[in-house]
Amino acid sequence: MKHITTLFLIFVLFFSCDDDDDTISIGLLAEHRGIYINDFYTAGILGNSALEDDLLAWVDVNDFTDIYLYNIGAALGDGLDDDLRAFVDKAHNQSPYLKVSFVSAGFGDSFTEIEGYHDGRKDNRPDGIVSEIEFWNGSMNFADNYAPWIDKINDLKFTPPPGDTTPLNAGVTRQFYIGKIKDPGLPPSLAIAKELVMHHDEIFLTNYHNDAWLLSGSTLENSIVNKLNLLAQAGMELNKEVNIVILFNVFQSSPSPEIWDYFSTTGMNNEFENAFVEWSEDFDASTDITNKEYINLKGFGIYRYSDALNARP
């Protein structure tokens, strides 16, 4: 199997070029190729044309299709609505079209700012909204901290505001960042998995372990294999496909395992797509994951931009 995949990669590498920058790309293997843009506002990128252009040029060279923007609530709260619209417009006018997602940390003031961004002017809406609510940690839980957020984003997608005939953003992609499928102190929950599958468009699944470009053989309750099995079971019972985006961590100061050296030009020097190619091969070969027919591997996401940029300047 590895030999077949290697031959296929050689074929793709030989025939795939980016029309804009002439770089060789194997990104066509993944429909979704995303990256978290940390400190998008707090680091001064938003509103700085040069930094915005540098970001978009790097994203293009590395063949990403999606960017997930942090600090959106803070930027909108500080009145940078027009700056944000201008940046989203700039991203959408890239060739190829670059999808922009807003990272949302909850259903309070930050989400109210995102709702307000949609009101009135209908241009330059986000393509997706990514949750950043770790209901499995600390004092949070799914019912109190995540379900209300799902209600909010469902309203944005499906419910017209009073006096209107269309929802604020019918095309928005609901993107659920998930580390564990459980409440704190409790075992993994099929009921929570079903709620996620029922309402998601894409599930961003953490894959943070050593040598994460390979499918971990761990059987711990929160291992990637067990999370995939739980989501696949939920998909089977609901008769619904589960769209998975696998997350790779390159944050060098992260308390979780990271694979910065795998990508670094001074280390193993792999392009970002390579991790997904290797991981997918292991997924396809694995006999530890059941009901695979309900899992749709859409692609991958990289956490996060500043470290990824350092790895591959």
Side-chain angles (χ1 to χ4, degrees):
M1 182 66 181
K2 285 185 177 291
H3 180 64
I4 294 173
T5 301
T6 300
L7 290 176
F8 179 63
L9 287 180
I10 291 171
F11 176 83
V12 175
L13 283 167
F14 189 78
F15 288 103
S16 296
C17 280
D18 186 300
D19 289 338
D20 294 321
D21 52 45
D22 296 324
T23 56
I24 298 297
S25 172
I26 58 172
L28 293 178
L29 296 176
E31 176 186 346
H32 182 117
R33 307 183 297 279
I35 187 159
Y36 281 90
I37 311 301
N38 57 300
D39 304 326
F40 175 65
Y41 171 44
T42 56
I45 298 174
L46 178 61
N48 183 314
S49 294
L51 292 180
E52 289 179 356
D53 291 346
D54 287 346
L55 164 63
L56 294 174
W58 183 87
V59 163
D60 176 58
V61 166
N62 288 282
D63 298 304
F64 288 105
T65 61
D66 293 69
I67 54 176
Y68 331 127
L69 306 179
Y70 275 107
N71 313 141
I72 294 304
L76 293 174
D78 286 347
L80 273 71
D81 181 283
D82 288 341
D83 295 85
L84 184 56
R85 290 185 190 279
F87 177 81
V88 174
D89 182 63
K90 188 187 294 188
H92 286 169
N93 282 312
Q94 298 295 298
S95 182
Y97 180 99
L98 180 63
K99 295 180 182 178
V100 179
S101 293
F102 294 172
V103 177
S104 169
F107 53 89
D109 292 344
S110 175
F111 202 93
T112 300
E113 295 288 354
I114 291 174
E115 289 173 319
Y117 175 89
H118 286 79
D119 284 343
R121 293 167 55 186
K122 302 297 184 182
D123 59 325
N124 301 322
R125 302 171 183 175
D127 302 279
I129 298 180
V130 188
S131 66
E132 187 80 3
I133 308 163
E134 297 189 348
F135 62 84
W136 54 89
N137 278 337
S139 61
M140 291 196 286
N141 63 71
F142 183 85
D144 293 336
N145 300 100
Y146 207 79
W149 182 86
I150 291 177
D151 290 340
K152 285 277 193 180
I153 196 169
N154 279 344
D155 282 346
L156 198 69
K157 186 177 180 76
F158 299 115
T159 306
D164 286 353
T165 58
T166 58
L168 291 178
N169 192 345
V172 71
T173 301
R174 299 165 296 172
Q175 297 165 318
F176 299 170
Y177 157 71
I178 300 297
K180 299 177 183 179
I181 309 171
K182 61 190 287 294
D183 282 330
L186 296 176
S189 167
L190 179 60
I192 291 177
K194 285 184 174 181
E195 286 295 311
L196 296 173
V197 170
M198 193 180 309
H199 295 287
H200 87 297
D201 294 309
E202 295 173 342
I203 292 177
F204 288 18
L205 202 59
T206 59
N207 177 56
Y208 300 167
H209 57 85
N210 294 326
D211 301 336
W213 59 92
L214 304 175
L215 178 66
S216 172
S218 172
T219 57
L220 295 176
E221 70 171 18
N222 294 309
S223 68
I224 186 67
V225 166
N226 284 354
K227 288 187 288 189
L228 286 167
N229 274 323
L230 193 59
L231 291 169
Q233 182 181 350
M236 178 192 67
E237 294 190 12
L238 294 168
N239 194 28
K240 182 177 173 63
E241 186 175 63
V242 188
N243 297 309
I244 299 293
V245 173
I246 294 295
L247 297 182
F248 298 108
N249 182 24
V250 299
F251 178 25
Q252 290 178 280
S253 298
S254 172
S256 302
E258 46 80 16
I259 56 170
W260 183 88
D261 189 67
Y262 176 83
F263 300 114
S264 173
T265 55
T266 61
M268 297 171 68
N269 195 21
N270 284 282
E271 292 188 14
F272 295 111
E273 299 96 332
N274 291 29
F276 181 72
V277 171
E278 294 201 55
W279 190 94
S280 298
E281 181 181 321
D282 279 0
F283 172 86
D284 289 341
S286 175
T287 58
D288 295 327
I289 301 168
T290 56
N291 303 307
K292 280 185 186 178
E293 64 271 24
Y294 291 94
I295 297 291
N296 174 34
L297 294 180
K298 289 198 70 174
F300 66 93
I302 300 292
Y303 182 78
R304 55 187 195 159
Y305 170 62
S306 59
D307 294 84
L309 175 63
N310 187 28
R312 304 192 67 78

